[in-house]
Amino acid sequence: MKLSDLVISQTVILDIRAATKPEVLAELAGRAAFLTRLDRMAIFRALLDREAIGSTGLGLGVAMPRARFKELRVPFALFARLGRPIEFDALDGRPVDMIFLLLGPEPATATYLKLLISTSRALREPVIRERLRDCFDANSIVAALQDNAVSAPH
């Protein structure tokens, strides 16, 4: 399974105007709930609980909040680009302007774990990050991900 299989135009949010980490997570939880039929508050609480363990801010302006749910059978992903970078307690202390939300099954499947690893590795690549920042609409984000084929090996 590739991240490009999960991130489609309906799962891309551009120019989020939230000013804080909780506001962004709430907005992402709302979109994820609509698309997955999971409870919005359950998603939001799970994301906050995960952040309490340690920030999912990977550094370099990117965050990858995540949570797992018994109700999910396959991973779900959203890509969001923020209108203005926000503090996310990232490892390098830099504010975040791009977020990949990843929801997976509980217990975690090998596919979910491999997707988590391959996505975080890909987001460390300057070419991928800059291409995603340069995209002007959802379709170009989807195309950039397909071109870079971020995947979970089988």
Side-chain angles (χ1 to χ4, degrees), residues 74-144:
V74 295
F76 170 83
L78 281 177
F79 172 81
R81 197 171 59 207
L82 308 181
R84 265 192 333 217
I86 63 165
E87 287 304 314
F88 214 89
D89 304 312
L91 297 174
D92 62 0
R94 290 175 51 186
V96 163
D97 66 335
M98 287 192 303
I99 299 175
F100 273 92
L101 172 74
L102 190 57
L103 304 180
E106 176 65 49
T109 61
T111 299
Y112 170 78
L113 295 173
K114 289 175 184 174
L115 190 59
L116 189 65
I117 292 165
S118 64
T119 301
S120 65
R121 282 184 183 148
L123 294 173
R124 289 187 198 121
E125 294 296 324
V127 172
I128 293 173
R129 286 192 318 275
E130 291 314 309
R131 178 134 187 237
L132 290 171
R133 285 186 175 109
D134 290 343
C135 291
F136 54 90
D137 64 11
N139 290 332
S140 59
I141 297 281
V142 171

Side-chain angles (χ1 to χ4, degrees), residues 5-115:
D5 296 332
L6 299 175
V7 177
I8 56 176
S9 60
Q10 294 86 347
T11 61
V12 173
I13 309 170
L14 298 177
D15 297 325
I16 289 180
R17 299 284 179 216
T20 66
K21 185 195 297 192
E23 288 175 8
V24 167
L25 294 177
E27 190 162 338
L28 295 176
R31 176 70 67 97
F34 175 75
L35 295 169
T36 64
R37 305 291 183 233
L38 293 171
D39 180 71
R40 181 183 68 80
M41 283 308 294
I43 295 171
F44 181 57
R45 280 192 302 271
L47 294 173
L48 288 177
D49 289 348
R50 174 57 188 84
E51 290 299 320
I53 294 169
S55 177
T56 57
L58 303 177
L60 304 168
V62 179
M64 198 164 60
R66 53 200 175 269
R68 297 192 310 257
F69 298 89
K70 291 178 193 149
E71 300 88 346
L72 284 180
R73 298 289 167 249
V74 295
F76 170 83
L78 281 177
F79 172 81
R81 197 171 59 207
L82 308 181
R84 265 192 333 217
I86 63 165
E87 287 304 314
F88 214 89
D89 304 312
L91 297 174
D92 62 0
R94 290 175 51 186
V96 163
D97 66 335
M98 287 192 303
I99 299 175
F100 273 92
L101 172 74
L102 190 57
L103 304 180
E106 176 65 49
T109 61
T111 299
Y112 170 78
L113 295 173
K114 289 175 184 174
L115 190 59

Side-chain angles (χ1 to χ4, degrees), residues 2 4 122 125 127-129 131-132 142-151:
K2 293 180 260 177
S4 60
E125 294 296 324
V127 172
I128 293 173
R129 286 192 318 275
R131 178 134 187 237
L132 290 171
V142 171
L145 291 171
Q146 288 171 343
D147 289 350
N148 289 298
V150 177
S151 64

